[in-house]
Amino acid sequence: MTSIDHDGELDARALAALATPADGTLAQLHRRLEADAEKAGVLDLAYTTIDTPVGPLLLAATVQGLVRVAFEREGFDAVLGLLAAKISPRILRAPQRLDTAARQLDEYFAGVRTGFDLPLDYSLSSGFRQLVQRHLPAIAYGHTESYREVAQSVGSPKAVRAVGTACATNPLPVVVPCHRVLRTDGTLGGYIGGLEAKSTLLNLEKAAA
Amino acid sequence: MKQPFEQVVADHGLTVLRVCRAVLGPHPDADDAWSETFLAALRAYPELPDGANVEAWLVTIAHRKAIDATRARQRQAFPVGETPERASTIGTPGSGDLDLWAAVKALPDKQRQAVAYRYLGGLTYQQIAGILGGTADAARRAAADGVKKLRIHYYSAGTLSEGANR
Protein backbone atom coordinates (compact mmCIF):
# COMPACT_ATOMS: atom_id res chain seq x y z
CA MET A 1 0.00 0.00 0.00
CA THR A 2 2.94 2.33 0.53
CA SER A 3 3.82 2.45 -3.15
CA ILE A 4 0.67 4.31 -4.10
CA ASP A 5 1.57 7.14 -1.76
CA HIS A 6 4.70 7.64 -3.84
CA ASP A 7 3.47 10.69 -5.70
CA GLY A 8 1.54 8.56 -8.13
CA GLU A 9 4.57 6.69 -9.39
CA LEU A 10 2.63 3.52 -9.92
CA ASP A 11 -0.19 5.36 -11.64
CA ALA A 12 2.30 7.12 -13.88
CA ARG A 13 3.73 3.81 -15.01
CA ALA A 14 0.31 2.32 -15.68
CA LEU A 15 -0.77 5.43 -17.50
CA ALA A 16 2.45 5.62 -19.54
CA ALA A 17 2.12 1.97 -20.52
CA LEU A 18 -1.48 2.56 -21.49
CA ALA A 19 -0.74 5.68 -23.52
CA THR A 20 2.29 4.23 -25.32
CA PRO A 21 1.52 3.86 -29.02
CA ALA A 22 2.06 0.74 -31.10
CA ASP A 23 5.53 0.18 -32.59
CA GLY A 24 6.03 2.10 -35.78
CA THR A 25 3.53 4.84 -34.90
CA LEU A 26 6.23 7.42 -34.22
CA ALA A 27 8.12 6.54 -37.40
CA GLN A 28 4.90 7.00 -39.34
CA LEU A 29 4.23 10.33 -37.64
CA HIS A 30 7.79 11.42 -38.39
CA ARG A 31 7.29 10.78 -42.10
CA ARG A 32 4.08 12.76 -41.96
CA LEU A 33 5.91 15.63 -40.24
CA GLU A 34 8.59 15.60 -42.97
CA ALA A 35 5.93 15.94 -45.67
CA ASP A 36 3.90 18.55 -43.74
CA ALA A 37 7.00 20.63 -43.00
CA GLU A 38 8.14 20.53 -46.62
CA LYS A 39 4.68 21.55 -47.80
CA ALA A 40 4.43 24.37 -45.24
CA GLY A 41 7.85 25.69 -46.27
CA VAL A 42 9.29 25.44 -42.75
CA LEU A 43 11.86 22.72 -43.40
CA ASP A 44 14.99 24.87 -43.72
CA LEU A 45 17.31 21.86 -43.78
CA ALA A 46 16.62 18.25 -44.71
CA TYR A 47 19.22 15.55 -44.27
CA THR A 48 19.84 11.88 -44.73
CA THR A 49 22.77 9.47 -44.59
CA ILE A 50 23.91 7.08 -47.31
CA ASP A 51 26.40 4.22 -47.37
CA THR A 52 29.29 4.53 -49.81
CA PRO A 53 32.69 2.94 -50.44
CA VAL A 54 34.22 5.83 -48.43
CA GLY A 55 31.92 5.15 -45.49
CA PRO A 56 28.58 6.71 -44.52
CA LEU A 57 28.03 10.22 -45.89
CA LEU A 58 25.67 12.79 -44.46
CA LEU A 59 23.81 14.82 -47.09
CA ALA A 60 22.01 18.03 -46.14
CA ALA A 61 20.02 20.35 -48.37
CA THR A 62 18.30 23.70 -48.04
CA VAL A 63 15.46 24.57 -50.41
CA GLN A 64 18.15 26.08 -52.68
CA GLY A 65 20.09 22.87 -53.00
CA LEU A 66 22.66 20.53 -51.52
CA VAL A 67 24.51 22.50 -48.86
CA ARG A 68 26.67 19.97 -47.03
CA VAL A 69 28.24 16.57 -47.60
CA ALA A 70 30.02 15.22 -44.54
CA PHE A 71 32.21 12.24 -43.79
CA GLU A 72 31.58 10.16 -40.70
CA ARG A 73 34.95 11.14 -39.21
CA GLU A 74 33.69 14.74 -38.99
CA GLY A 75 30.99 13.54 -36.56
CA PHE A 76 27.46 13.81 -37.95
CA ASP A 77 26.06 15.27 -34.72
CA ALA A 78 28.74 17.96 -34.72
CA VAL A 79 28.03 18.76 -38.37
CA LEU A 80 24.28 19.00 -37.75
CA GLY A 81 24.93 21.21 -34.72
CA LEU A 82 27.00 23.56 -36.86
CA LEU A 83 24.33 23.63 -39.55
CA ALA A 84 21.77 24.51 -36.88
CA ALA A 85 23.94 27.41 -35.75
CA LYS A 86 25.00 28.67 -39.17
CA ILE A 87 21.85 28.14 -41.27
CA SER A 88 18.81 27.21 -39.18
CA PRO A 89 17.83 24.80 -36.39
CA ARG A 90 14.74 23.83 -38.40
CA ILE A 91 16.34 20.53 -39.36
CA LEU A 92 14.71 17.16 -39.90
CA ARG A 93 15.91 13.84 -41.18
CA ALA A 94 13.86 13.97 -44.36
CA PRO A 95 15.42 11.78 -47.05
CA GLN A 96 13.03 12.73 -49.82
CA ARG A 97 14.66 16.10 -50.55
CA LEU A 98 17.97 14.25 -50.96
CA ASP A 99 16.64 11.55 -53.30
CA THR A 100 18.26 12.93 -56.44
CA ALA A 101 21.57 13.66 -54.73
CA ALA A 102 21.64 10.18 -53.18
CA ARG A 103 20.87 8.55 -56.53
CA GLN A 104 23.57 10.51 -58.34
CA LEU A 105 26.12 9.65 -55.64
CA ASP A 106 25.21 5.96 -55.95
CA GLU A 107 25.81 6.22 -59.70
CA TYR A 108 29.08 8.05 -59.13
CA PHE A 109 30.37 5.37 -56.76
CA ALA A 110 29.23 2.68 -59.20
CA GLY A 111 31.49 4.35 -61.77
CA VAL A 112 28.64 5.20 -64.15
CA ARG A 113 28.39 8.94 -63.43
CA THR A 114 31.20 11.38 -64.17
CA GLY A 115 29.53 14.65 -63.16
CA PHE A 116 26.82 15.86 -60.83
CA ASP A 117 23.76 17.67 -62.06
CA LEU A 118 22.37 19.05 -58.79
CA PRO A 119 21.39 22.45 -57.45
CA LEU A 120 24.13 23.41 -54.98
CA ASP A 121 23.91 25.89 -52.12
CA TYR A 122 27.33 27.44 -51.51
CA SER A 123 26.15 29.61 -48.63
CA LEU A 124 28.47 27.91 -46.09
CA SER A 125 31.51 29.47 -47.71
CA SER A 126 32.20 32.97 -48.89
CA GLY A 127 34.72 35.11 -50.73
CA PHE A 128 37.79 33.49 -52.16
CA ARG A 129 36.95 30.08 -50.74
CA GLN A 130 33.64 30.02 -52.53
CA LEU A 131 35.29 31.26 -55.72
CA VAL A 132 37.71 28.31 -55.59
CA GLN A 133 34.98 25.83 -54.72
CA ARG A 134 32.86 27.01 -57.64
CA HIS A 135 35.83 26.43 -59.93
CA LEU A 136 36.52 22.86 -58.78
CA PRO A 137 33.75 21.16 -60.81
CA ALA A 138 35.61 22.42 -63.90
CA ILE A 139 38.37 19.88 -63.19
CA ALA A 140 37.28 16.97 -65.33
CA TYR A 141 36.45 13.55 -63.94
CA GLY A 142 39.55 11.38 -63.75
CA HIS A 143 41.88 14.39 -63.98
CA THR A 144 43.75 16.29 -61.30
CA GLU A 145 45.17 19.78 -60.84
CA SER A 146 47.76 21.08 -58.41
CA TYR A 147 46.93 23.71 -55.80
CA ARG A 148 49.14 26.03 -57.86
CA GLU A 149 47.19 25.37 -61.07
CA VAL A 150 43.90 26.03 -59.31
CA ALA A 151 45.32 29.29 -57.97
CA GLN A 152 46.22 30.30 -61.51
CA SER A 153 42.81 29.26 -62.89
CA VAL A 154 40.99 31.51 -60.44
CA GLY A 155 43.29 34.41 -61.29
CA SER A 156 45.30 34.52 -58.03
CA PRO A 157 48.49 32.65 -58.86
CA LYS A 158 50.09 33.56 -55.52
CA ALA A 159 47.19 32.32 -53.42
CA VAL A 160 48.33 28.70 -53.32
CA ARG A 161 47.87 28.35 -49.56
CA ALA A 162 44.46 29.97 -49.72
CA VAL A 163 43.47 27.44 -52.38
CA GLY A 164 44.57 24.73 -49.97
CA THR A 165 42.36 26.24 -47.29
CA ALA A 166 39.45 26.53 -49.72
CA CYS A 167 39.78 22.83 -50.56
CA ALA A 168 40.13 21.86 -46.89
CA THR A 169 36.94 23.76 -46.00
CA ASN A 170 34.90 22.54 -48.97
CA PRO A 171 31.41 21.96 -47.51
CA LEU A 172 30.47 19.70 -50.44
CA PRO A 173 33.24 17.10 -50.77
CA VAL A 174 32.87 14.40 -53.44
CA VAL A 175 30.22 16.46 -55.27
CA VAL A 176 32.53 19.47 -55.51
CA PRO A 177 35.67 17.53 -56.38
CA CYS A 178 38.36 18.95 -54.10
CA HIS A 179 39.79 15.42 -54.13
CA ARG A 180 41.07 16.20 -57.65
CA VAL A 181 43.46 18.82 -56.29
CA LEU A 182 46.95 17.54 -55.40
CA ARG A 183 50.30 18.95 -54.39
CA THR A 184 52.53 20.16 -57.21
CA ASP A 185 54.79 17.13 -56.66
CA GLY A 186 51.81 14.85 -57.22
CA THR A 187 51.42 13.74 -53.59
CA LEU A 188 47.94 13.76 -52.14
CA GLY A 189 47.91 16.82 -49.89
CA GLY A 190 45.13 16.75 -47.34
CA TYR A 191 41.50 15.67 -47.40
CA ILE A 192 38.56 16.27 -45.13
CA GLY A 193 37.51 12.64 -45.52
CA GLY A 194 41.01 11.32 -44.83
CA LEU A 195 43.73 10.41 -47.31
CA GLU A 196 42.37 6.90 -47.75
CA ALA A 197 39.07 8.33 -48.97
CA LYS A 198 40.90 10.69 -51.30
CA SER A 199 42.81 7.84 -52.95
CA THR A 200 39.68 5.71 -53.12
CA LEU A 201 37.93 8.47 -55.09
CA LEU A 202 40.91 9.05 -57.38
CA ASN A 203 41.32 5.33 -58.04
CA LEU A 204 37.61 4.96 -58.72
CA GLU A 205 37.78 7.74 -61.30
CA LYS A 206 40.96 6.34 -62.86
CA ALA A 207 39.39 2.91 -63.23
CA ALA A 208 36.12 4.19 -64.67
CA ALA A 209 37.45 6.98 -66.89
CA MET B 1 22.96 27.45 -29.34
CA LYS B 2 19.92 25.41 -30.41
CA GLN B 3 20.12 21.74 -31.20
CA PRO B 4 18.70 20.54 -34.52
CA PHE B 5 14.92 20.10 -34.38
CA GLU B 6 15.33 16.43 -35.30
CA GLN B 7 16.83 15.98 -31.83
CA VAL B 8 13.77 17.62 -30.27
CA VAL B 9 11.52 15.12 -32.06
CA ALA B 10 13.76 12.24 -30.97
CA ASP B 11 13.85 13.39 -27.34
CA HIS B 12 10.21 14.39 -26.85
CA GLY B 13 8.15 12.75 -29.60
CA LEU B 14 7.04 9.80 -27.50
CA THR B 15 6.19 11.88 -24.44
CA VAL B 16 4.09 14.31 -26.46
CA LEU B 17 2.27 11.45 -28.18
CA ARG B 18 1.48 9.86 -24.80
CA VAL B 19 0.13 13.18 -23.59
CA CYS B 20 -2.02 13.59 -26.72
CA ARG B 21 -3.33 10.04 -26.37
CA ALA B 22 -4.14 10.47 -22.70
CA VAL B 23 -5.99 13.72 -23.32
CA LEU B 24 -7.79 12.77 -26.56
CA GLY B 25 -7.92 9.00 -26.29
CA PRO B 26 -6.12 6.44 -28.48
CA HIS B 27 -7.72 7.94 -31.55
CA PRO B 28 -6.49 9.34 -34.89
CA ASP B 29 -7.21 12.76 -33.34
CA ALA B 30 -4.24 12.16 -31.02
CA ASP B 31 -1.99 11.50 -34.03
CA ASP B 32 -3.31 14.66 -35.68
CA ALA B 33 -2.67 16.69 -32.54
CA TRP B 34 0.89 15.33 -32.42
CA SER B 35 1.48 16.25 -36.05
CA GLU B 36 0.11 19.75 -35.63
CA THR B 37 2.07 20.23 -32.42
CA PHE B 38 5.41 19.38 -34.01
CA LEU B 39 4.68 21.33 -37.19
CA ALA B 40 3.82 24.43 -35.13
CA ALA B 41 6.87 23.84 -32.93
CA LEU B 42 9.16 23.51 -35.96
CA ARG B 43 7.78 26.78 -37.31
CA ALA B 44 8.33 28.64 -34.03
CA TYR B 45 11.54 26.87 -33.00
CA PRO B 46 14.02 29.58 -34.07
CA GLU B 47 12.23 32.08 -31.79
CA LEU B 48 12.19 29.80 -28.73
CA PRO B 49 14.48 31.44 -26.17
CA ASP B 50 17.70 29.55 -25.46
CA GLY B 51 17.48 27.60 -22.24
CA ALA B 52 13.68 27.34 -22.39
CA ASN B 53 12.12 24.11 -21.15
CA VAL B 54 11.44 22.40 -24.47
CA GLU B 55 9.17 19.71 -23.06
CA ALA B 56 6.93 22.19 -21.24
CA TRP B 57 6.82 24.30 -24.41
CA LEU B 58 5.77 21.28 -26.50
CA VAL B 59 3.11 20.19 -23.99
CA THR B 60 1.73 23.73 -24.01
CA ILE B 61 1.39 23.61 -27.80
CA ALA B 62 -0.06 20.09 -27.62
CA HIS B 63 -2.64 21.32 -25.11
CA ARG B 64 -3.89 23.95 -27.57
CA LYS B 65 -3.89 21.51 -30.49
CA ALA B 66 -5.83 18.98 -28.40
CA ILE B 67 -8.44 21.61 -27.58
CA ASP B 68 -8.73 22.43 -31.29
CA ALA B 69 -9.16 18.74 -32.06
CA THR B 70 -11.83 18.36 -29.39
CA ARG B 71 -13.78 21.33 -30.77
CA ALA B 72 -13.50 20.05 -34.32
CA ARG B 73 -14.66 16.64 -33.18
CA GLN B 74 -17.71 18.13 -31.48
CA ARG B 75 -18.57 20.13 -34.59
CA GLN B 76 -18.22 17.14 -36.85
CA ALA B 77 -19.91 14.64 -34.57
CA PHE B 78 -22.87 12.92 -36.10
CA PRO B 79 -24.91 9.93 -34.97
CA VAL B 80 -23.80 6.61 -36.39
CA GLY B 81 -26.50 3.95 -36.52
CA GLU B 82 -24.18 1.04 -36.14
CA THR B 83 -20.54 1.20 -35.14
CA PRO B 84 -18.46 -0.33 -37.91
CA GLU B 85 -16.40 -3.31 -36.88
CA ARG B 86 -12.67 -2.79 -36.95
CA ALA B 87 -9.54 -3.86 -35.19
CA SER B 88 -9.17 -2.45 -31.71
CA THR B 89 -6.53 0.25 -31.49
CA ILE B 90 -6.90 0.71 -27.78
CA GLY B 91 -5.58 -2.52 -26.35
CA THR B 92 -6.90 -5.98 -25.82
CA PRO B 93 -10.51 -6.23 -24.69
CA GLY B 94 -10.77 -7.74 -21.24
CA SER B 95 -7.15 -6.96 -20.36
CA GLY B 96 -8.05 -3.98 -18.25
CA ASP B 97 -6.78 -1.46 -20.84
CA LEU B 98 -10.27 -0.71 -22.08
CA ASP B 99 -11.47 -0.16 -18.51
CA LEU B 100 -8.56 2.15 -17.76
CA TRP B 101 -9.13 4.09 -20.98
CA ALA B 102 -12.78 4.43 -19.98
CA ALA B 103 -11.73 5.71 -16.57
CA VAL B 104 -9.29 8.21 -18.11
CA LYS B 105 -11.96 9.36 -20.52
CA ALA B 106 -14.49 9.77 -17.72
CA LEU B 107 -12.29 12.26 -15.86
CA PRO B 108 -13.30 15.91 -16.08
CA ASP B 109 -11.15 17.70 -18.69
CA LYS B 110 -9.04 19.66 -16.19
CA GLN B 111 -8.26 16.56 -14.15
CA ARG B 112 -7.41 14.49 -17.20
CA GLN B 113 -5.17 17.26 -18.52
CA ALA B 114 -3.50 17.82 -15.15
CA VAL B 115 -2.83 14.08 -14.76
CA ALA B 116 -1.44 13.81 -18.32
CA TYR B 117 0.79 16.86 -18.04
CA ARG B 118 2.06 15.91 -14.60
CA TYR B 119 2.50 12.15 -14.90
CA LEU B 120 3.23 11.79 -18.62
CA GLY B 121 4.62 15.20 -19.51
CA GLY B 122 6.58 15.55 -16.29
CA LEU B 123 5.60 19.20 -15.89
CA THR B 124 5.62 21.00 -12.57
CA TYR B 125 2.33 22.18 -11.10
CA GLN B 126 3.47 25.72 -11.73
CA GLN B 127 3.92 24.94 -15.42
CA ILE B 128 0.56 23.16 -15.53
CA ALA B 129 -1.09 26.19 -13.97
CA GLY B 130 0.48 28.26 -16.74
CA ILE B 131 -1.24 26.07 -19.30
CA LEU B 132 -4.60 25.47 -17.63
CA GLY B 133 -4.93 28.80 -15.85
CA GLY B 134 -5.51 29.05 -12.11
CA THR B 135 -2.95 28.43 -9.42
CA ALA B 136 -0.32 25.76 -8.95
CA ASP B 137 -2.33 24.54 -5.94
CA ALA B 138 -5.41 24.14 -8.10
CA ALA B 139 -3.36 22.18 -10.67
CA ARG B 140 -2.03 19.97 -7.87
CA ARG B 141 -5.56 19.33 -6.61
CA ALA B 142 -6.83 18.54 -10.11
CA ALA B 143 -4.02 16.04 -10.67
CA ALA B 144 -4.52 14.49 -7.23
CA ASP B 145 -8.29 14.20 -7.69
CA GLY B 146 -7.79 12.66 -11.12
CA VAL B 147 -5.28 10.13 -9.89
CA LYS B 148 -7.51 9.26 -6.96
CA LYS B 149 -10.34 8.41 -9.34
CA LEU B 150 -8.06 6.31 -11.51
CA ARG B 151 -6.84 4.48 -8.40
CA ILE B 152 -10.37 3.71 -7.32
CA HIS B 153 -10.85 2.28 -10.77
CA TYR B 154 -7.72 0.11 -10.44
CA TYR B 155 -8.88 -1.36 -7.17
CA SER B 156 -12.43 -1.94 -8.25
CA ALA B 157 -11.29 -3.55 -11.49
CA GLY B 158 -8.49 -5.44 -9.71
CA THR B 159 -5.98 -4.45 -12.41
CA LEU B 160 -3.57 -2.38 -10.39
CA SER B 161 -0.62 -4.74 -10.41
CA GLU B 162 -1.27 -5.92 -13.95
CA GLY B 163 -1.61 -2.38 -15.15
CA ALA B 164 1.60 -1.33 -13.51
CA ASN B 165 3.65 -4.20 -14.83
CA ARG B 166 2.47 -4.26 -18.38
Side-chain angles (χ1 to χ4, degrees), chain A residues 3 22 38 44 52 74 76 81 89 101 115 120 131-132 153 198 207:
Chain A
S3 59
E38 186 79 80
D44 294 339
T52 76
E74 299 177 70
F76 290 161
L120 301 180
L131 183 76
V132 171
S153 308
K198 191 166 185 174

Side-chain angles (χ1 to χ4, degrees), chain A residues 121-201:
Chain A
D121 181 341
Y122 284 97
S123 60
L124 286 174
S125 35
S126 57
F128 186 72
R129 289 182 188 179
Q130 189 182 119
L131 183 76
V132 171
Q133 288 158 10
R134 283 180 184 274
H135 162 75
L136 295 178
I139 309 174
Y141 183 89
H143 291 71
T144 58
E145 277 185 15
S146 66
Y147 291 104
R148 188 177 303 281
E149 284 167 322
V150 173
Q152 279 158 2
S153 308
V154 298
S156 307
K158 287 187 181 148
V160 180
R161 286 188 77 90
V163 166
T165 309
C167 290
T169 57
N170 173 17
L172 294 160
V174 185
V175 173
V176 169
C178 59
H179 59 275
R180 293 180 196 149
V181 187
L182 308 177
R183 288 210 185 108
T184 311
D185 66 5
T187 57
L188 282 178
Y191 192 56
I192 194 169
L195 291 184
E196 204 182 317
K198 191 166 185 174
S199 12
T200 302
L201 296 175

Side-chain angles (χ1 to χ4, degrees), chain A residues 7-110:
Chain A
D7 194 27
E9 204 182 296
L10 209 54
D11 313 272
R13 267 190 293 153
L15 206 57
L18 183 74
T20 297
D23 287 350
T25 306
L26 273 174
Q28 219 176 330
L29 285 172
H30 194 288
R31 283 193 293 277
R32 181 169 158 192
L33 177 63
E34 294 160 35
D36 288 351
E38 186 79 80
K39 204 168 137 202
V42 293
L43 185 54
D44 294 339
L45 275 162
Y47 74 92
T48 191
T49 50
I50 58 168
D51 286 318
T52 76
V54 291
L57 292 181
L58 178 129
L59 312 178
T62 62
V63 284
Q64 273 81 44
L66 190 66
V67 73
R68 188 75 164 90
V69 175
F71 287 91
E72 196 175 30
R73 72 206 290 265
E74 299 177 70
F76 290 161
D77 284 345
V79 170
L80 290 169
L82 272 174
L83 289 172
K86 286 188 175 172
I87 296 179
S88 167
R90 287 174 175 164
I91 301 177
L92 284 178
R93 181 184 276 275
Q96 210 187 345
R97 193 186 284 177
L98 288 313
D99 274 354
T100 309
R103 185 169 40 78
Q104 292 193 11
L105 279 159
D106 279 347
E107 292 165 357
Y108 170 80
F109 283 112

Side-chain angles (χ1 to χ4, degrees), chain B residues 63-101:
Chain B
H63 170 74
R64 289 199 299 265
K65 298 300 179 188
I67 289 176
D68 291 348
T70 307
R71 285 188 187 137
R73 193 195 284 180
Q74 282 160 356
R75 273 200 304 277
Q76 287 162 12
F78 57 94
V80 178
E82 221 171 305
T83 311
E85 270 186 56
R86 57 175 187 177
S88 165
T89 58
I90 57 169
T92 315
S95 71
D97 278 2
L98 285 175
D99 299 331
L100 186 50
W101 272 125

